[in-house]
Amino acid sequence: MAPKSRSKRPSLLSKGRPPTVKPKQAALSSKATRTLIRSHHQLLKARAQAEKAGDAAKLSSIDAQIQANGGLDSYQIASKLGQSMDRGGDSSKLLIEWIKPQLNQWNPNLPKLRVLEVGALSTKNACSRTPSLDVTRIDLNSQEPGILQQDFMERPLPCSDEERFHIISLSLVLNYVPDATGRGDMLKRCVKFLTSQCPIAFVPTLFFVLPVACVDNSRYVTEERLLDILSSLGFELVQSKRSNKLIYQLWHYTGQCSPRSFKKEMLNPGAKRNNFAIILRDG
């Protein structure tokens, strides 16, 4: 008796395909990344206080701790991981989403809009891939070609509109400045780098990203106080978005400023609140 022929089961598609490439594991976990960034910010704050007090011994000790943590290089690696695609992605994608209706006016026969990206970590983010934008990237410690190693506060002031920008991006930059007065000075300095002379209908723009704790859990800054500070400099809030950890804002520079000073004053008392502050000086 002839043996019964068994019908073959169809092969699974997975049998004929190469193994799935597993994504590379990040060198640091999300928790370790946040811890390193937080530690670096705290050490910088302590360093600024020691420098102000003229405490050379403490200054030397803090510098040693910063180096033991890997210095600025380690901080930037952690920041890159924090902004990588598998950790929530590139914040400039939201900037492009917000300004896309205006950018749709642009065509290749027109000059590109100029962007100054302060604290740039990558030359491959959404801004850099947008054909209508010419991006100038600067950072205190450049991590790759295409990013100029420069302190924004020491960048020469523009002498003409051609040296100014249509967009300035401060994504997780202001919170890196170690003292409250320096933060106010940085915001004031942005005004000097913006221009309204544009090849399309476009209002000078500031893109701004901060940890949400800077406005929700600070003794000295609230979202309302931030609005008052930037409004006094001539900015108008046009877009705002929150995630669990970050606040994103888009500001138009209208030039309708009402200069005033903002001191470090208690707005939200509480033992568990942080000391993030912005001081805006006259002049």
Side-chain angles (χ1 to χ4, degrees):
M1 184 175 176
K4 291 182 180 179
S5 61
R6 294 185 180 180
S7 58
K8 289 186 178 180
R9 294 175 61 188
S11 297
L12 297 174
L13 289 174
S14 59
K15 294 284 186 182
R17 62 187 290 190
T20 303
V21 177
K22 293 183 179 180
K24 292 181 180 179
Q25 294 294 316
L28 292 171
S29 68
S30 295
K31 184 177 180 180
T33 298
R34 291 195 300 272
T35 300
L36 179 56
I37 291 172
R38 191 181 306 115
S39 172
H40 193 73
H41 286 175
Q42 289 169 346
L43 286 169
L44 281 180
K45 188 185 299 181
R47 190 186 190 285
Q49 292 169 349
E51 191 171 28
K52 189 175 181 179
D55 191 335
K58 190 168 185 179
L59 199 60
S60 178
S61 172
I62 292 170
D63 283 342
Q65 290 180 64
I66 291 173
Q67 289 308 310
N69 284 352
L72 189 55
D73 285 343
S74 289
Y75 169 80
Q76 288 184 310
I77 290 169
S79 295
K80 273 189 172 182
L81 281 172
Q83 293 188 37
S84 63
M85 295 306 295
D86 59 338
R87 302 244 183 120
D90 161 24
S91 64
S92 75
K93 288 196 300 183
L94 184 58
L95 166 61
I96 298 303
E97 179 185 321
W98 279 343
I99 64 174
K100 190 174 181 180
Q102 289 74 44
L103 295 184
N104 285 339
Q105 304 170 71
W106 184 84
N107 68 70
N109 295 319
L110 295 172
K112 295 184 177 186
L113 277 69
R114 297 184 297 278
V115 181
L116 178 61
E117 188 179 2
V118 183
L121 294 173
S122 171
T123 59
K124 300 177 180 66
N125 62 6
C127 278
S128 301
R129 299 193 306 270
T130 301
S132 54
L133 301 180
D134 178 15
V135 185
T136 297
R137 309 169 195 87
I138 65 172
D139 191 66
L140 290 172
N141 187 36
S142 173
Q143 291 288 294
E144 59 181 89
I147 300 175
L148 175 65
Q149 186 155 311
Q150 185 181 63
D151 185 339
F152 174 59
M153 301 306 291
E154 295 179 359
R155 183 179 175 89
L157 291 174
C159 298
S160 65
D161 272 328
E162 286 71 27
E163 295 178 357
R164 295 186 177 93
F165 299 88
H166 304 104
I167 303 164
I168 294 177
S169 171
L170 294 181
S171 180
L172 297 177
V173 171
L174 200 69
N175 54 299
Y176 183 77
V177 178
D179 64 274
T181 302
R183 294 179 194 124
D185 290 346
M186 176 174 278
L187 292 176
K188 288 172 67 176
R189 191 173 178 84
C190 285
V191 171
K192 298 176 181 178
F193 281 85
L194 287 168
T195 179
S196 59
Q197 301 299 313
C198 189
I200 61 174
F202 192 88
V203 181
T205 295
L206 173 65
F207 179 62
F208 195 67
V209 184
L210 275 177
V212 76
C214 291
V215 293
D216 279 2
N217 198 41
S218 167
R219 296 180 179 90
Y220 309 107
V221 175
T222 61
E223 206 165 343
E224 184 178 358
R225 172 54 61 93
L226 189 60
L227 178 66
D228 289 343
I229 289 172
L230 282 156
S231 296
S232 77
L233 294 173
F235 288 97
E236 178 185 17
L237 181 63
V238 291
Q239 294 281 4
S240 186
K241 178 182 176 179
R242 285 169 170 257
S243 68
N244 289 335
K245 295 184 175 66
L246 300 175
I247 181 167
Y248 307 81
Q249 294 185 335
L250 193 76
W251 297 81
H252 282 171
Y253 180 64
T254 65
Q256 297 176 355
C257 54
S258 50
R260 53 177 291 201
S261 61
F262 288 87
K263 299 178 180 178
K264 183 178 179 179
E265 57 181 320
M266 186 70 70
L267 301 173
N268 277 322
K272 294 185 178 180
R273 296 191 183 276
N274 65 63
N275 291 320
F276 181 80
I278 301 172
I279 293 175
L280 205 61
R281 301 180 292 185
D282 285 328

